[in-house]
Amino acid sequence: MSTDQIINELKKKIFRPVYFLQGEEPFYIDQISDYIEKNILSESEKEFNQTVLYGKDVDVPTLISYAKRYPMMSTHQVVIVKEAQDMKSLISKEKEKDKGKDKDAKDPLLEYILKPTQSTILVFCFKYKTLDKRTKLAKTIDKNALLFESKKLYDNQLPDWINGYVLSQGYRIGPAATKMMAEYLGNDLSKIANEISKLILSLKAGDEITAAMVEDNIGISKEFNIFELQSALGKRNIFKANQIVNYFAANTKSNPTVLTTSQLYNYFLKVLQFHQVDHRSGETPAAALGVHPYFIKDYESAARAYTLDTCIRNISFIREFDTRTKGISSAQTNDGELLKELVYKILH
């Protein structure tokens, strides 16, 4: 089930006795557990019927004792285990491979999952990892509870996610702003959602988030940022590119090398893909590159400035730069100087 499907069920008061929320992306786990924590019980019911526990502070017997209690003056009680990945007894059980031993069936947690208290909504928030599917624990949860996996998004999925999330909040966002947020903030959905919340504080419903707003509120220099560097390189504007790279070299903390490397690599990879678009097949450049049509003119301009072979050469330079910044095959040269060298090679 998806996050929306689970929350829609909850809104309809269709409750599962056990929810096991796991995965590398904490955003969706928090979204579901926060909804349960805030909305299932009324404020008066929460006082006696809602318990929030933390994995490092609770063991299985204690958890089961909470789960088996009956609600007071309510149809349900809610028990939420946050940071369940830190629950020692759960981790030790998760490591046990299913060897078909009968003693596994007597484990109190497995027994509870097999026969849960129907008036209890027990929620596990198991973040940054997933259960080993081979274990008895994972198999029992999968068969007898709601097992949800929250997966990390790929980088190319971020623009659509950002656009959809902003729309779900009742606002709009321009393609340049979407790209800027996706490339600058990375695939940390909680961080992106938090920054969007800040941006819409001063907006009216239906207003659009612009690239200028993103620059002003997320700490991106208007003149000296990775997007301007890409633009300068794409136009082979030597003066502007050198201005920006000198700024980067002097401000490495606000312009981390790993971000610069990945963005330049992705940029020239897309220019390379632009060269290879088969127009005879009816494929559009935007579809081939997986970008908004708004940006195609930038890649078209860069493709005129760099031949297919030159793009391949530049990608090779960037890979070499990446290994050298990691201390492989490199003398003791700082990242700033290496970046200046990279930009010089790309431009000449």
Side-chain angles (χ1 to χ4, degrees):
M1 294 182 73
S2 68
T3 308
D4 289 341
Q5 288 173 324
I6 293 172
I7 292 177
N8 284 335
E9 265 198 0
L10 293 167
K11 288 179 179 178
K12 295 174 182 177
K13 299 192 180 300
I14 301 172
F15 305 137
R16 310 294 183 104
V18 180
Y19 293 81
F20 199 95
L21 315 175
Q22 64 173 356
E24 295 181 1
E25 178 49 68
F27 178 81
Y28 295 115
I29 295 173
D30 288 339
Q31 197 173 34
I32 295 168
S33 63
D34 286 351
Y35 185 88
I36 292 172
E37 185 176 351
K38 294 174 183 177
N39 296 282
I40 301 304
L41 302 177
S42 67
E43 290 304 318
S44 60
E45 289 174 326
K46 288 177 185 177
E47 185 174 354
F48 297 106
N49 299 291
Q50 185 154 291
T51 305
V52 177
L53 305 168
Y54 288 85
K56 66 179 180 179
D57 300 323
V58 67
D59 57 21
V60 168
T62 303
L63 173 61
I64 298 305
S65 71
Y66 276 107
K68 286 187 173 181
R69 294 188 312 187
Y70 290 98
M72 295 178 61
M73 296 177 288
S74 175
T75 58
H76 289 83
Q77 73 149 338
V78 174
V79 180
I80 300 174
V81 186
K82 296 189 175 183
E83 311 300 336
Q85 73 277 4
D86 295 331
M87 195 172 170
K88 291 181 180 178
S89 49
L90 181 62
I91 294 170
S92 62
K93 174 53 62 179
E94 193 269 333
K95 288 180 179 178
E96 293 179 14
K97 300 295 182 289
D98 180 12
K99 297 179 181 179
K101 295 183 178 181
D102 292 339
K103 67 182 182 66
D104 280 348
K106 297 178 181 179
D107 179 272
L109 180 57
L110 297 180
E111 285 290 290
Y112 181 82
I113 292 170
L114 287 168
K115 294 181 180 179
T117 304
Q118 295 299 311
S119 58
T120 295
I121 299 170
L122 175 58
V123 183
F124 291 91
C125 301
F126 195 82
K127 295 180 176 179
Y128 312 113
K129 59 192 296 188
T130 59
L131 294 175
D132 186 333
K133 294 179 181 179
R134 298 169 293 176
T135 61
K136 184 77 171 182
L137 176 63
K139 292 176 181 178
T140 303
I141 291 173
D142 189 28
K143 186 175 180 179
N144 299 278
L146 193 153
L147 180 61
F148 169 79
E149 183 177 349
S150 182
K151 297 180 179 180
K152 279 280 188 186
L153 292 184
Y154 293 111
D155 289 344
N156 62 358
Q157 296 174 304
L158 282 175
D160 284 342
W161 186 89
I162 292 170
N163 189 58
Y165 184 79
V166 171
L167 287 173
S168 74
Q169 303 301 302
Y171 300 87
R172 295 174 294 117
I173 184 168
T178 300
K179 181 184 180 186
M180 191 173 289
M181 292 191 77
E183 295 190 352
Y184 193 81
L185 297 176
N187 65 348
D188 184 336
L189 301 189
S190 297
K191 184 177 182 180
I192 294 172
N194 185 53
E195 294 297 342
I196 290 171
S197 296
K198 293 178 186 177
L199 288 169
I200 63 179
L201 281 175
S202 58
L203 300 180
K204 295 181 293 184
D207 281 355
E208 180 177 315
I209 296 173
T210 65
M213 293 176 188
V214 174
E215 287 178 338
D216 290 340
N217 292 278
I218 302 183
I220 303 173
S221 168
K222 289 185 177 180
E223 285 190 86
F224 304 121
N225 59 60
I226 186 62
F227 315 106
E228 292 300 324
L229 177 58
Q230 287 176 177
S231 177
L233 290 175
K235 296 172 183 174
R236 278 197 155 162
N237 185 331
I238 296 175
F239 178 74
K240 184 67 174 180
N242 282 324
Q243 269 191 319
I244 297 170
V245 78
N246 285 332
Y247 176 83
F248 277 24
N251 298 273
T252 53
K253 286 186 177 180
S254 55
N255 300 280
T257 302
V258 64
L259 175 64
T260 303
T261 305
S262 64
Q263 301 297 13
L264 290 180
Y265 177 84
N266 289 332
Y267 178 75
F268 278 103
L269 184 62
K270 282 185 167 51
V271 178
L272 177 67
Q273 290 171 329
F274 185 92
H275 276 291
Q276 298 173 316
V277 174
D278 184 1
H279 296 279
R280 294 172 299 176
S281 68
E283 184 179 37
T284 65
L289 274 61
V291 300
H292 193 284
Y294 176 90
F295 299 107
I296 287 301
K297 62 181 184 298
D298 296 330
Y299 294 112
E300 184 178 14
S301 174
R304 288 196 295 268
Y306 299 93
T307 65
L308 179 65
D309 288 341
T310 307
C311 287
I312 295 171
R313 182 205 67 176
N314 289 346
I315 290 171
S316 178
F317 287 153
I318 294 167
R319 284 175 172 164
E320 179 191 7
F321 168 74
D322 183 45
T323 60
R324 293 178 69 190
T325 57
K326 293 174 180 173
I328 303 172
S329 303
S330 175
Q332 294 298 316
T333 307
N334 65 48
D335 289 359
E337 292 304 313
L338 289 174
L339 182 59
K340 290 179 183 179
E341 180 184 328
L342 170 65
V343 168
Y344 178 85
K345 286 180 175 180
I346 288 172
L347 289 168
H348 297 82

